[in-house]
Amino acid sequence: MPPPADIVKVAIEWPGANAQLIEMDQKRPLSSIIREVCDGIFGLCQARAARQLLERIQSHGIDARLEALKELAKLSADPTFATEFINMEGIGTLARLVESGTHLNFLSLSFGEMLAFTLTAFLELMDHGIVSWDLISLSFIKQIAGYVNQPMVDVSILQRSLAILESMVLNSHSLYHRVAQESTVGQLIGHLQVSNQEIQTYAIALINALFLKAPEDRRQEMASTLAQKHLRSIILNHVIRGNRPIKAEMAHQLYVLQVLTFNLLEERMMTKMDPNDQSQRDIIFELRRIAFDGESDLTGTEKRKAMYTKDYKMLGFTNHVNPAMDFTQTPPGMLALDNMLYLARVHQDTYIRIVLENSSREDKHECPFGRCAIELTRMLCEILQVGELPNEGCNDYHPMFFTHDRAWEEFFCVCIQLLNKTWKEMRATAEDFNKVMQVVREQITRALAMKPSSIDQLKNKLRGLNYSEILRLRQSERMSQDDFQSPPIIELRERIQPEILELIKQQRLNRLCEGSCFRKLGNRRRQEKFWFCRLSLNHKVLHYGDLDESPQGEVPFELLSDKIPISDIKSVLTGKDCPHMKEKSALKQNKEVLELAFSVLYDPDETLNFVAPNKYEYCIWTDGLCALLGREMGSDLTRSDLDTLMSMEMKLRLLDLENITIPEAPPPVPKEPSSYNFTYNYS
């Protein structure tokens, strides 16, 4: 049977290889055929390069081996080359080089360089996820851990060794236990006291990885060890207050450590109080004793039960008879009681003042300390996201939480005083409880956004955010919005909106023409690879290509080797619908990355996958691509820009009508005249 008429055979040859005969379907787009052929040629070239490099690495000449490893470190980032090299047992070859002991003389220049390039290539190859980390031998782990534990190791070797151990911990449960045995917290903390911020960052990243993967019963023990080793004060003095500005990766690792530290509170937050547990009830007795009895007996047996009930009412508990019932809701569970006890013991004068001050007020104006402390603890857990995993790409750490060994408790003590003060300023009653809590939440979140460097500075920020200032800020923010709701104003808005949307569309397309740099996804955030994408000036083609480093401005079209005609684009996918989010299970669970992911689906069923560097770039690109396809721009940024520009335009158009009341309805049309025989003399 003869082949279909649309199928033709074409011989293709290229330098250094034999010609190949391939079949081409003439019904398919030429661009996809060329891409398929080029991919095949590229794969064969990479396979040949991998074979040659492997042979050179196994040669006996030091210089030849060094040059081969240097070249391998560069090529390993390419997934096609990595696949070919790994299929030739390349990973095992590199591991044996590290284990063999020929590198023991790495203090010499050649061996030091050789080891550094070997570790770089090994890490790049493993990061592709082609082979499992579980295959790594104990001998290899001991060797890598040995470099981390040696005091006089080369910086480049130390960086790569720390990064390899971090990847082992994050990618393998079994390797976590082995790494935890080989690298102690004390040895890692030593690397935080150096002047090199890169080494500090890698060291904190490994500590975070060990913390994150530790079994729940080990985390409290590890936290205790970190406290004994003065990790917090070392980070404060050598990193946060160091002479160098905090880089983005260091800020991320500090944020991760902050989240993991606060997550230690989750167990107490989710533990209900047992009303029958005498040791827990004794804590409530102590709160009552400190507030009312001074140094009298803890159990208070000389007092009648009725007196206890009265005291618990004055302490502000909801259940006056059995206040233990107030702590059976989770969150905040027993964490609220812990906070109250810390305030009563460590800041006793403040505690007694708050309780007695409210007990002397009129019943309707008293601020219930117990109820407030419980709700405040719940609120602080929500604000600081206690119990949630850290987000990829987030750098939102707070320096003040590194300035005190009991930062959480001190933060609560500051906030409970703020709540009591705001209650008085609002002249609140029991019915206003939720309103007060909303104001206090706003005061706390606004103060945290200012990044106070210490607990004392937080107090200063909160003093400036009293209830009057919150009202002023709210009013100011409302005034900046367009609150007109009358029919004529609404009609004017509807007429203006298409013009504003067209303006936003042009801005988005202009930004796409300037282009943006995107990070290639991997298992690590360091040693990043980049690619650049921009729209042609005639809005007909997307140009993109790989870069060695993040660019400082626009990238010329000539440097972007790949392109996609806009006419070939079928749709824009976002979030979980993106192919690269479905492929990477670890990233799939990360809310931060999911919110920044989008893909362009184009003929013939291919995708170009993006992860935007931030929410702003995500909105710009998804809006711009939707505009190119003639679809609605639905991002949060478009809604925000539309509101801002509409508000400005409306205020400009209504400027001449200031202090003039705009009627809800147009004036009535007058009756027709009895006749039209009238003129007007202009002379």
Side-chain angles (χ1 to χ4, degrees):
M1 180 175 166
D6 294 318
I7 304 296
V8 297
K9 293 188 176 182
V10 179
I12 298 179
E13 59 180 355
W14 62 94
N18 297 325
Q20 278 196 326
L21 193 66
I22 66 167
E23 290 186 350
M24 287 199 304
D25 185 351
Q26 297 182 81
K27 290 182 178 179
R28 293 175 58 195
L30 181 60
S31 60
S32 65
I33 295 174
I34 293 173
R35 179 180 291 276
E36 187 177 291
V37 171
C38 291
D39 287 345
I41 295 172
F42 181 69
L44 291 171
C45 292
Q46 295 291 55
R48 186 175 61 184
R51 190 177 304 105
Q52 291 174 349
L53 274 179
L54 196 57
E55 292 171 357
R56 289 163 58 195
I57 289 169
Q58 293 171 321
S59 68
H60 296 292
I62 292 177
D63 292 339
R65 186 183 295 181
L66 177 60
E67 289 302 314
L69 288 168
K70 188 183 297 186
E71 191 173 341
L72 176 64
K74 293 181 181 178
L75 292 175
S76 295
D78 181 81
T80 306
F81 173 86
T83 302
E84 298 293 342
F85 188 82
I86 290 171
N87 289 339
M88 297 173 188
E89 302 297 328
I91 289 283
T93 301
L94 295 181
R96 285 190 293 274
L97 275 178
V98 175
E99 297 169 9
S100 64
T102 57
H103 53 274
L104 289 177
N105 188 22
F106 61 77
L107 291 177
S108 69
L109 181 61
S110 297
F111 284 104
E113 278 191 297
M114 190 182 300
L115 180 58
F117 288 127
T118 302
L119 297 179
T120 300
F122 178 87
L123 189 56
E124 290 285 1
L125 291 167
M126 292 300 295
D127 272 352
H128 290 292
I130 299 170
V131 294
S132 170
W133 283 89
D134 289 320
L135 301 175
I136 303 302
S137 69
L138 181 59
S139 172
F140 182 85
I141 296 171
K142 286 180 176 291
Q143 201 69 57
I144 297 298
Y147 302 140
V148 171
N149 300 336
Q150 287 188 29
M152 295 296 293
V153 73
D154 183 77
V155 169
S156 57
I157 296 172
L158 179 57
Q159 283 181 347
R160 289 155 179 78
S161 299
L162 287 166
I164 289 172
L165 292 180
E166 181 198 356
S167 291
M168 286 179 183
V169 172
L170 292 176
N171 290 284
S172 169
H173 179 71
S174 61
L175 292 187
Y176 156 75
H177 295 284
R178 295 179 180 178
V179 173
Q181 290 173 353
E182 297 296 331
S183 292
T184 66
V185 171
Q187 291 163 329
L188 294 175
I189 287 178
H191 293 306
L192 297 177
Q193 301 177 53
V194 300
S195 58
N196 187 322
Q197 190 174 121
E198 294 296 319
I199 296 296
Q200 292 175 325
T201 304
Y202 280 85
I204 294 181
L206 180 52
I207 291 173
N208 284 339
L210 290 168
F211 212 142
L212 184 64
K213 294 299 180 178
E216 288 188 17
D217 57 342
R218 283 269 300 124
R219 287 181 188 170
Q220 291 289 353
E221 181 185 336
M222 186 175 176
S224 177
T225 303
L226 292 172
Q228 293 170 8
K229 297 291 184 180
H230 307 293
L231 174 66
R232 179 199 59 76
S233 60
I234 289 172
I235 289 176
L236 180 66
N237 295 321
H238 292 272
V239 179
I240 296 175
R241 293 178 179 171
N243 297 324
R244 298 165 306 283
I246 302 294
K247 295 181 180 178
E249 175 60 19
M250 174 61 85
H252 173 70
Q253 295 301 339
L254 292 174
Y255 154 77
V256 172
L257 182 59
Q258 173 185 291
V259 171
L260 296 177
T261 302
F262 282 141
N263 282 357
L264 294 172
L265 303 168
E266 183 180 14
E267 182 183 355
R268 294 294 284 174
M269 180 182 77
M270 300 307 294
T271 300
K272 297 180 180 180
M273 187 171 186
D274 181 0
N276 299 317
D277 188 324
Q278 186 59 44
S279 63
Q280 295 181 1
R281 294 174 63 187
D282 285 345
I283 298 175
I284 297 178
F285 290 148
E286 186 170 0
L287 290 174
R288 191 205 61 78
R289 178 190 65 79
I290 294 173
F292 303 116
D293 285 355
E295 299 299 323
S296 65
D297 180 54
L298 173 67
T299 58
T301 53
E302 77 285 353
K303 288 210 170 191
R304 298 188 309 276
K305 187 176 181 180
M307 185 63 74
Y308 274 25
T309 301
K310 179 184 176 184
D311 289 347
Y312 292 145
K313 182 178 184 298
M314 292 171 66
L315 278 170
F317 289 112
T318 303
N319 192 317
H320 307 153
V321 177
N322 186 6
M325 299 303 296
D326 286 15
F327 301 95
T328 55
Q329 297 251 335
T330 57
M334 290 295 289
L335 185 59
L337 189 59
D338 295 342
N339 286 340
M340 295 165 71
L341 185 61
Y342 180 87
L343 175 68
R345 286 178 173 174
V346 180
H347 300 280
Q348 192 172 112
D349 291 344
T350 300
Y351 168 69
I352 293 173
R353 176 179 56 80
I354 291 175
V355 173
L356 296 183
E357 188 179 88
N358 284 291
S359 64
S360 63
R361 291 182 191 166
E362 300 175 47
D363 284 350
K364 67 174 185 177
H365 284 296
E366 66 180 359
C367 177
F369 169 74
R371 183 185 176 191
C372 287
I374 292 169
E375 289 303 315
L376 178 63
T377 302
R378 190 200 315 274
M379 180 198 296
L380 297 183
C381 289
E382 292 172 358
I383 291 173
L384 296 177
Q385 300 178 323
V386 175
E388 296 187 19
L389 289 175
N391 283 325
E392 175 76 17
C394 183
N395 303 334
D396 190 24
Y397 80 98
H398 296 281
M400 73 173 184
F401 291 129
F402 292 87
T403 63
H404 201 286
D405 289 330
R406 304 294 295 271
W408 165 263
E409 291 87 348
E410 289 293 320
F411 184 45
F412 168 83
C413 292
V414 171
C415 293
I416 193 69
Q417 293 178 74
L418 169 73
L419 196 160
N420 190 58
K421 175 172 170 283
T422 302
W423 186 283
K424 287 190 290 185
E425 291 173 350
M426 294 178 67
R427 298 185 58 79
T429 61
E431 290 76 16
D432 301 319
F433 186 87
N434 291 332
K435 292 180 182 178
V436 176
M437 295 305 294
Q438 289 173 2
V439 172
V440 170
R441 176 186 283 268
E442 189 172 342
Q443 290 171 313
I444 294 170
T445 52
R446 286 181 184 271
L448 286 177
M450 300 177 194
K451 297 291 186 202
S453 59
S454 66
I455 298 293
D456 286 338
Q457 199 174 100
L458 172 69
K459 294 177 184 177
N460 291 332
K461 302 291 184 188
L462 290 172
R463 272 195 287 270
L465 287 169
N466 55 34
Y467 179 53
S468 299
E469 178 64 12
I470 292 295
L471 289 179
R472 190 193 67 78
L473 289 170
R474 286 179 174 179
Q475 185 177 8
S476 175
E477 289 166 3
R478 277 198 300 268
M479 290 295 289
S480 66
Q481 300 172 356
D482 180 19
D483 291 330
F484 297 114
Q485 296 299 324
S486 64
I489 301 299
I490 293 173
E491 184 180 346
L492 180 59
R493 288 177 64 92
E494 291 172 351
R495 291 189 180 185
I496 294 173
Q497 185 164 315
E499 302 173 19
I500 303 297
L501 284 173
E502 181 62 27
L503 182 64
I504 294 172
K505 174 184 173 182
Q506 291 305 317
Q507 186 272 340
R508 301 292 192 263
L509 295 178
N510 289 340
R511 276 288 291 107
L512 263 61
C513 290
E514 294 173 10
S516 298
C517 180
F518 299 92
R519 177 169 57 89
K520 285 194 171 184
L521 279 181
N523 293 335
R524 294 170 294 115
R525 302 177 74 251
R526 297 175 294 281
Q527 299 178 357
E528 294 176 322
K529 306 297 180 183
F530 302 94
W531 64 286
F532 198 87
C533 186
R534 63 183 297 194
L535 178 66
S536 63
L537 300 180
N538 61 4
H539 300 173
K540 292 186 178 180
V541 179
L542 276 180
H543 296 262
Y544 64 98
D546 293 342
L547 300 175
D548 293 331
E549 57 184 18
S550 181
Q552 304 296 319
E554 291 186 9
V555 176
F557 289 109
E558 307 84 64
L559 298 181
L560 305 176
S561 55
D562 299 303
K563 59 183 179 180
I564 301 172
I566 299 300
S567 57
D568 287 353
I569 296 179
K570 297 178 181 177
S571 63
V572 178
L573 308 175
T574 59
K576 294 181 180 179
D577 296 330
C578 298
H580 56 315
M581 292 296 102
K582 295 176 181 177
E583 293 169 3
K584 297 183 178 289
S585 59
L587 292 172
K588 183 180 176 183
Q589 299 172 1
N590 193 307
K591 181 181 177 183
E592 189 78 14
V593 175
L594 278 173
E595 290 178 348
L596 299 177
F598 61 99
S599 300
V600 171
L601 179 63
Y602 62 98
D603 286 330
D605 296 327
E606 296 189 44
T607 58
L608 181 62
N609 299 318
F610 301 74
V611 173
N614 50 55
K615 191 67 176 178
Y616 176 79
E617 289 292 332
Y618 170 85
C619 293
I620 288 289
W621 276 85
T622 51
D623 282 344
L625 292 169
C626 287
L628 288 170
L629 299 179
R631 297 172 188 170
E632 182 182 353
M633 300 180 294
S635 75
D636 294 340
L637 183 63
T638 291
R639 287 191 288 273
S640 173
D641 287 349
L642 181 62
D643 288 343
T644 301
L645 293 173
M646 284 288 288
S647 176
M648 292 170 61
E649 184 67 19
M650 291 291 290
K651 287 175 182 176
L652 285 172
R653 297 204 182 195
L654 298 173
L655 199 59
D656 292 337
L657 298 178
E658 190 173 0
N659 297 323
I660 296 177
T661 302
I662 301 174
E664 292 291 316
V669 178
K671 294 180 180 180
E672 289 190 19
S674 56
S675 72
Y676 290 91
N677 300 324
F678 53 83
T679 60
Y680 187 84
N681 187 358
Y682 282 94
S683 60

